[in-house]
Amino acid sequence: MDGRRLFPSGWHPQRWDKLPNGKYMRNGDPSRTAVGGVRYYFIDFGISCQNQDEVLGLDGQELSPELSDVVPYNPYKLDVYILGMAYQHFLIERYQSELDFLIPLIEFMTLGIPSGRPSAEEAFDRWKTIAAKLSFADLSRRLRTKEHPPESSVKRFTKDLGYRVAELWWTTTSPKRPPQPLQ
């Protein structure tokens, strides 16, 4: 996460509630929505390499088809695979159908044959194509975890209405609008 909007004066490396000089922050916890949003970056999946087009190794956070101590593989295609699997595990498997529009992107990023897998730029281009077809309501929908019991239509309507009212209040009272999805 790029925290510069949240902490324009910087932050202490060991204490989230202090400035770099060790003094407490005066305004308490800043809100990422109050500062107009923050950017998140996916980096280092536990198998870092620098400027190498082919690597060897079996270590990593996600088992993938190409990991090998014998046959060299492209670490950048592996990053795309691991990120696709992270989307699968942390979004699709945890939430109900609100994020199903990501499934074609995930399938594209996690092809079993690395040579058929997209580069990060190609995956991003695919995301832009998908995102262009989505409405603001699609992109800001309230997520429901699969762990919770199904909601009745009345309960869902009530919760969705409360969510939209809070969103409307935030957008009309906040000095900055959050950044739109990357396009």
Side-chain angles (χ1 to χ4, degrees):
M1 178 185 85
D2 181 352
R4 289 178 291 182
R5 284 186 176 177
L6 287 171
F7 307 103
S9 300
W11 58 90
H12 194 277
Q14 296 174 325
R15 294 290 307 266
W16 60 268
D17 57 344
K18 291 187 177 186
L19 294 169
N21 62 8
K23 293 183 180 180
Y24 281 97
M25 293 183 190
R26 291 187 178 171
N27 298 331
D29 278 344
S31 164
R32 62 181 162 70
T33 53
V35 297
V38 295
R39 295 239 175 190
Y40 294 89
Y41 300 91
F42 296 99
I43 60 168
D44 185 13
F45 300 106
I47 47 176
S48 297
C49 65
Q50 184 175 359
N51 300 326
Q52 294 178 350
D53 292 332
E54 290 190 333
V55 296
L56 294 171
L58 293 171
D59 295 331
Q61 295 181 10
E62 182 74 42
L63 290 177
S64 68
E66 64 260 44
L67 288 178
S68 171
D69 273 339
V70 179
V71 179
Y73 56 87
N74 182 326
Y76 306 109
K77 298 274 185 164
L78 179 61
D79 284 347
V80 169
Y81 179 88
I82 293 172
L83 185 56
M85 291 305 294
Y87 293 159
Q88 176 69 32
H89 296 316
F90 296 112
L91 300 174
I92 301 301
E93 292 174 10
R94 288 187 182 187
Y95 296 100
Q96 295 187 25
S97 61
E98 293 89 355
L99 298 173
D100 283 355
F101 61 84
L102 290 173
I103 291 173
L105 175 65
I106 292 167
E107 290 172 347
F108 184 53
M109 294 173 71
T110 58
L111 290 172
I113 300 171
S115 61
R117 210 174 292 147
S119 66
E121 186 175 354
E122 291 165 336
F124 184 53
D125 287 342
R126 179 70 60 99
W127 162 245
K128 291 188 287 189
T129 301
I130 292 169
K133 297 175 185 172
L134 299 171
S135 68
F136 179 76
D138 291 329
L139 293 169
S140 62
R141 183 173 291 140
R142 179 178 67 92
L143 298 178
R144 297 170 297 136
T145 63
K146 290 181 178 178
E147 298 167 359
H148 289 92
E151 299 171 338
S152 70
S153 56
V154 171
K155 186 174 183 178
R156 180 153 190 207
F157 174 79
T158 305
K159 285 187 165 191
D160 286 348
L161 181 62
Y163 177 80
R164 292 295 179 200
V165 167
E167 180 183 47
L168 177 64
W169 177 85
W170 180 82
T171 57
T172 57
T173 60
S174 177
K176 292 183 181 179
R177 187 104 171 110
Q180 294 300 311
L182 294 174
Q183 300 207 16

